[in-house]
Amino acid sequence: MCLAIPGQVVEFHADQPALVKVDVAGVRRNVNVGLLEDGELVLGDWVLIHVGFALSKVSEADAHEQLRMLRAMGEDELAIEEVRGYSFADDGERR
Amino acid sequence: MRRPSCGSKKKRVLETGPAPGAVAPRRARFNDAQIEMSHGAGGKASRRLVEGLIAPAFANPILAALSDAATFSLGGRRVATSADGYVVRPLRFPGGSIGELAVNGTVNDLAVSGARATALMASFILEAGLPSDVLRAEVEAMAAAAARAGVPIVGGDTKVVEHGLCDGMYISTFGVGEVDERLALDPRSVRPGDKVLLSGPIGDHGITILLARGELDLEANLRSDTRSVWPFVEALLEVCPAGLRWMRDPTRGGVATALNELARDSGLGILLREEDIPLRREVRGACEVLGLDPLHIANEGQVIAIVAADDADRALDAVRSVTGGEGACLIGEVRADHAGTVVGITLYGGTRAIDMLVGDPLPRIC
Amino acid sequence: MTMKYVDEFRDPALITAVAQEIARTVDPARHYRIMEVCGGHTHAIYRHGLHDVLPGNVELVHGPGCPVCVLPTGRVDDGLAIAAQPNVVLACFGDMMRVPGTKGTPLELKARGADIRMVYSPLDALKMAQDNPRTHVCFFAIGFETTAPSTALTLLRARELGVRNFSVFSNHVTIVPAMRAILDSPDMRLDGFVGPGHVSSIIGCRPFEFVAQHYGKPVVVAGFEPLDLLEGILMVLRQLRDGESKVENQYRRIVPWEGNHAALRALATVFELRPYFEWRGLGFISQSALKLKSDFAPWDSEVQFEVPGVRVTDPRAAQCGEILKGVLKPPQCKLFGKECNPEHPVGALMVSSEGACAAYYRYASTELRVEEEARA
């Protein structure tokens, strides 16, 4: 369930504090931020949007950390492949 | 079905029959008790209605091909004729209006049948109470579109219905043109290895209309792509008429529906590489927000062409050199396997079936 | 042309890296059955062709997390009965429009003159009521805990504004009881779970601890992009390899371990649990669905309108239940693709885009389908 997509906060409405304009790849919609804790948002923040509401703020730090770890895993694999290559050359036996 | 002979000296011999190993198409049956919106959406339900109810009643060899335009011979020439009805709401939208759609739509149906439109006719059904300025604007838009397409509107008909019917206005257009004699466009001339060429980014029109209705409260800088596609067809005719197998303008139902029809009618499989399909950022954004697939969204100014592999690169260059064709791409190929279906290759080499739409694409929240 | 926080998690190089790590982690002699609970995950797996990327001994079993699929036909009929009342507009999500009731789908009834309109947000339904004071707008609410808080806030707003021509027909359900029902089922053979990332953005990860502690199965709460799903599956496989069973959060950029307090507060203010509720394919489950509290009675469609409340059982040939429990795969149902297809669904698993059958039909290539049918 739950089609939800990240969008960036691009505008606040002084007369309607519960509403915020959010941008998803150039498509804009007003979104209700009543499910977020007060004072959480600044312009440029990213939120997860579902049925016209923001469910959560996107944590840049966690996103970067996750990608960093996955990239490291990818590099580890390259290193493992290299090592495998050496083993094969050394004693002719596949590991 | 044999194409009726046309008597022209440069007649191409058509290889009749499906490609070896191809799967024969199944004809749909129509058992629905009433007409639903889905019957007009251009997908499976529409196909059932036409094949199961309308075509059998009118049965004749020219109709049997059920392509965008009907081709037949008239006084030794091969003529194509097409009809299209426009019921779009709202009447005006970024990039165009109902009148422009009506002109370009028929011009395009003829173009993808290999015919340059020679003349158009227009039938108006108008709602009593429609402001004359609105009609004037549409008629002027039609005149401009027809001038751009180089085709005269030579006649038509006007009817008025009571207030409350027909959403302001409905426009139908009818067109006729001569089919270029070098062409033998037919699903059965498509062969494994042929390439799929798309003239530009998809989804612009359908998403523009969806947003213009105002019910979803979405804003985006998007315009309908409505335009005559004859310049693209002309470019293809110049470089590879012999290698041009089949064309379609992917309107309601989108690229997915058009290619599924080809897969079914040719008995072959079609493979699309998702990363090669051109898409505007905002169309992608709207589709992600609403849970729609761009391949199902209507286009009003694009061509899909199947070209022989040897001609594909030249065909692509030719379309790209036409103004408005810069975004053209080769997006896939025809295969003997996956017969009768359209398959997508995802970014990671995974496969997914690209199905024909059932009814209108509906936004989803789940 | 990138979409931030989407495309990074669709990076082919990273996906390959995770897929290779998965291949290295599995024991080739073992067959793994992992349930992705959420219909959105099912949809994503097929949409991105991820089953092609997994090793053959990792089988993904499609769970019941599709709120439209588990909605019994009788409840659809109830909603349509409300729509049939004079001066009533039924507002529903696009997902509902093709779900069959006994007399037809909302789209079909709309074609016959019923005033049924599609909305993207419950707030749009409320606005419709404000703009049309002489009609009553009934919002057909569906969804798990992801969507229920939005309905809750909308009701709070309706009350605040004093809008009296608006009501909600609540069919919100909760995921934990369904998971428990599956775990308690004698024909269940699951090794672990990929948890529902967006439900967890509201309820957090703690509610799944019972799965790990009492049933000894790993649960990894995962996001919906291909990389999220694969990493989630990898984390489940690692736990299985290491003999662990705990709850982990793969979707850390969105999901707070403790959940969304504002959303949970809104839910507690507006809703209470029904003693029991029927789930299509799973039968009656206690404490598994939400109804409006009595002080919201003026906005409760079930109070404001008479509904037939008739229980409609599925045709016996339809095997929605077994598919929802993960016992059968869609092609193994005798009706799949024949009598039951997206145009003429016998069960809602075929209608909803995230129902296991529709996802399969729409996205699984014909070869995969033939393979699955052969295995039946």
Side-chain angles (χ1 to χ4, degrees):
Chain A
M1 63 297 252
C2 333
L3 182 68
I5 199 84
Q8 188 170 37
V9 176
V10 293
E11 199 183 316
F12 291 103
H13 303 291
D15 55 333
Q16 292 184 91
L19 279 189
V20 147
K21 185 160 282 189
V22 162
D23 180 299
V24 178
V27 178
R28 296 175 169 210
R29 196 188 202 271
N30 281 324
V31 152
N32 185 302
V33 295
L35 295 174
L36 301 179
E37 298 290 356
D38 279 333
E40 239 190 88
L41 283 183
V42 299
L43 274 185
D45 275 348
W46 287 78
V47 291
L48 188 73
I49 307 163
H50 173 70
V51 305
F53 286 80
L55 297 188
S56 160
K57 215 173 96 155
V58 182
S59 160
E60 282 210 52
D62 282 319
H64 288 151
E65 179 59 20
Q66 179 191 358
L67 290 169
R68 193 193 62 76
M69 279 177 27
L70 289 172
R71 282 182 195 123
M73 180 172 68
E75 282 153 18
D76 284 348
E77 280 170 19
L78 286 177
I80 290 168
E81 293 293 326
E82 267 189 51
V83 170
R84 278 220 188 99
Y86 293 144
S87 305
F88 187 73
D90 271 344
D91 55 15
E93 210 179 73
R94 274 266 188 89
R95 285 207 220 291
Chain B
M1 181 205 81
R2 289 203 49 107
R3 167 168 304 124
S5 72
C6 62
S8 152
K9 275 182 252 171
K10 292 192 192 147
K11 172 173 80 178
R12 274 201 53 193
V13 176
L14 175 69
E15 290 170 286
T16 51
V23 172
R26 282 197 326 258
R27 284 292 177 235
R29 278 204 297 264
F30 185 80
N31 295 319
D32 305 40
Q34 65 178 44
I35 299 303
E36 311 282 349
M37 290 304 292
S38 56
H39 293 122
K44 286 182 189 166
S46 297
R47 173 168 60 107
R48 263 210 331 272
L49 173 66
V50 170
E51 289 181 18
L53 189 146
I54 301 178
F58 298 157
N60 62 75
I62 298 169
L63 176 59
L66 287 178
S67 48
D68 280 341
T71 42
F72 54 91
S73 128
L74 191 63
R77 287 157 173 252
R78 222 166 14 130
V79 162
T81 176
S82 179
D84 229 331
Y86 286 86
V87 300
V88 70
R89 261 191 320 110
L91 298 179
R92 311 216 117 232
F93 41 84
S97 67
I98 187 174
E100 278 183 68
L101 290 184
V103 166
N104 292 328
T106 293
V107 165
N108 292 346
D109 280 343
L110 291 172
V112 298
S113 306
R116 180 179 198 140
T118 315
L120 291 184
M121 298 187 88
S123 152
F124 295 89
I125 298 181
L126 304 170
E127 182 183 356
L130 179 74
S132 301
D133 282 345
V134 172
L135 178 60
R136 185 173 291 117
E138 285 319 311
V139 166
E140 282 168 7
M142 290 173 77
R148 278 194 299 274
V151 58
I153 301 177
V154 301
D157 179 69
T158 309
K159 291 286 182 294
V160 181
V161 293
E162 286 93 353
H163 183 72
L165 302 176
C166 97
D167 276 337
M169 73 170 77
Y170 296 153
I171 305 178
S172 293
T173 48
F174 313 86
V176 68
E178 189 174 357
V179 178
D180 190 296
E181 49 197 0
R182 295 167 289 175
L183 287 177
L185 299 172
D186 191 298
R188 291 159 310 156
S189 57
V190 173
R191 292 282 173 266
D194 287 348
K195 301 295 184 197
V196 184
L197 188 153
L198 176 60
S199 56
I202 58 172
D204 289 13
H205 177 77
I207 297 297
T208 298
I209 296 295
L210 201 51
L211 267 46
R213 293 215 180 105
E215 291 153 10
L216 297 167
D217 199 21
L218 288 172
E219 296 161 15
N221 191 9
L222 276 176
R223 306 161 60 80
S224 168
D225 60 351
T226 179
R227 59 187 171 174
S228 162
V229 300
W230 175 253
F232 300 141
V233 173
E234 198 168 33
L236 288 170
L237 285 174
E238 232 158 283
V239 301
C240 58
L244 194 55
R245 313 279 202 220
W246 176 95
M247 289 189 286
R248 186 60 64 90
D249 61 333
T251 52
R252 310 164 306 172
V255 167
T257 300
L259 288 176
N260 267 287
E261 285 176 351
L262 174 64
R264 190 199 52 153
D265 292 343
S266 65
L268 295 171
I270 301 180
L271 199 88
L272 298 183
R273 282 179 308 275
E274 294 198 345
E275 61 191 321
D276 292 340
I277 297 173
L279 191 62
R280 279 188 217 286
R281 190 171 174 253
E282 292 87 350
V283 171
R284 186 187 170 200
C287 287
E288 293 277 358
V289 169
L290 299 172
L292 299 172
D293 187 343
L295 289 169
H296 287 141
I297 308 289
N299 308 278
E300 290 287 339
Q302 306 297 342
V303 182
I304 315 174
I306 305 292
V307 294
D310 290 339
D311 292 321
D313 289 334
R314 275 183 307 139
L316 181 64
D317 287 340
V319 175
R320 278 185 174 166
S321 61
V322 174
T323 309
E326 302 83 3
C329 291
L330 292 174
I331 63 169
E333 62 200 20
V334 179
R335 308 260 297 219
D337 58 352
H338 299 289
T341 65
V342 181
V343 170
I345 303 289
T346 68
L347 278 179
Y348 335 103
T351 58
R352 65 140 175 150
I354 294 172
D355 199 18
M356 191 185 284
L357 203 57
V358 176
D360 284 307
L362 293 176
R364 53 189 183 91
I365 65 109
C366 285
Chain C
M1 184 204 53
T2 50
M3 282 178 65
K4 194 169 176 196
Y5 296 121
V6 169
D7 286 325
E8 308 90 315
F9 300 94
R10 297 187 184 183
D11 180 345
L14 290 180
I15 284 168
T16 305
V18 177
Q20 284 170 352
E21 182 64 17
I22 287 175
R24 259 196 301 278
T25 306
V26 293
D27 172 357
R30 190 173 168 181
H31 186 80
Y32 300 87
R33 303 180 87 235
I34 299 174
M35 173 173 278
E36 89 275 358
V37 171
C38 173
H41 279 145
T42 312
H43 182 102
I45 286 161
Y46 285 113
R47 164 66 186 85
H48 295 286
L50 294 180
H51 48 268
D52 286 339
V53 152
L54 292 171
N57 59 335
V58 175
E59 186 187 330
L60 292 176
V61 178
H62 312 314
C66 166
V68 159
C69 303
V70 298
L71 188 65
T73 310
R75 290 293 286 186
V76 180
D77 287 343
D78 290 345
L80 293 174
I82 296 172
Q85 307 285 325
N87 290 321
V88 172
V89 174
L90 186 71
C92 47
F93 293 133
D95 313 60
M96 277 304 304
M97 296 301 280
R98 291 203 187 102
V99 180
T102 310
K103 298 203 188 78
T105 67
L107 213 52
E108 284 163 359
L109 264 64
K110 185 180 161 83
R112 282 174 233 155
D115 200 340
I116 299 175
R117 301 187 210 176
M118 196 180 66
V119 290
Y120 168 73
S121 168
L123 289 174
D124 296 340
L126 177 59
K127 178 159 193 306
M128 207 186 283
Q130 290 173 282
D131 292 344
N132 295 279
R134 271 186 298 244
T135 50
H136 182 99
V137 177
C138 165
F139 175 62
F140 196 134
I142 55 161
F144 284 83
E145 293 97 324
T146 317
T147 319
S150 302
T151 306
L153 278 199
T154 304
L155 282 162
L156 287 166
R157 184 115 181 97
R159 186 169 72 170
E160 186 192 351
L161 293 172
V163 179
R164 298 305 289 250
N165 59 325
F166 175 73
S167 67
V168 168
F169 179 49
S170 172
N171 291 283
H172 286 303
V173 282
T174 57
I175 195 63
V176 163
M179 288 175 73
R180 207 186 279 277
I182 285 168
L183 284 159
D184 284 338
S185 178
D187 36 14
M188 191 279 305
R189 297 275 179 279
L190 297 170
D191 299 308
F193 293 85
V194 172
H198 290 146
V199 165
S200 293
S201 75
I202 304 297
I203 68 175
C205 298
R206 214 179 268 296
F208 303 108
E209 282 171 352
F210 78 100
V211 178
Q213 284 159 12
H214 297 157
Y215 295 87
K217 310 281 181 192
V219 179
V220 176
V221 172
F224 293 78
E225 297 303 334
L227 198 58
D228 292 318
L229 264 164
L230 287 179
E231 194 188 8
I233 292 167
L234 173 63
M235 288 163 73
V236 171
L237 291 168
R238 277 178 172 159
Q239 285 196 41
L240 291 171
R241 177 196 61 192
D242 301 339
E244 291 182 318
S245 65
K246 56 189 182 189
V247 180
E248 291 186 272
N249 183 3
Q250 181 280 335
Y251 202 19
R252 287 180 303 285
R253 64 186 185 278
I254 294 285
V255 172
W257 191 271
E258 299 294 335
N260 178 331
H261 291 298
L264 292 169
R265 273 197 308 272
L267 284 179
T269 308
V270 173
F271 289 110
E272 61 191 24
L273 283 167
R274 298 178 193 269
Y276 54 82
F277 191 69
E278 187 183 4
W279 289 55
R280 190 167 189 173
L282 292 174
F284 286 89
I285 304 183
S286 57
Q287 313 269 305
S288 64
L290 302 179
K291 73 188 263 266
L292 275 66
K293 280 180 154 157
S294 54
D295 47 336
F296 284 88
W299 296 276
D300 187 343
S301 306
E302 284 173 275
V303 172
Q304 299 303 318
F305 296 97
E306 287 279 336
V307 291
V310 172
R311 194 172 166 238
V312 177
T313 49
D314 276 345
R316 224 173 306 153
Q319 294 171 286
C320 310
E322 278 96 328
I323 296 172
L324 281 170
K325 276 184 273 184
V327 173
L328 284 185
K329 287 192 116 46
Q332 293 168 317
C333 170
K334 300 209 172 25
L335 305 182
F336 178 83
K338 305 183 201 86
E339 294 95 326
C340 188
N341 55 68
E343 261 188 297
H344 293 117
V346 174
L349 288 185
M350 186 56 85
V351 168
S352 165
S353 59
E354 51 167 45
C357 298
Y360 220 93
Y361 194 98
R362 192 164 287 123
Y363 292 129
S365 67
T366 40
E367 280 150 15
L368 185 64
R369 247 184 265 165
V370 167
E371 212 179 271
E372 297 283 3
E373 247 173 286
R375 232 189 271 169

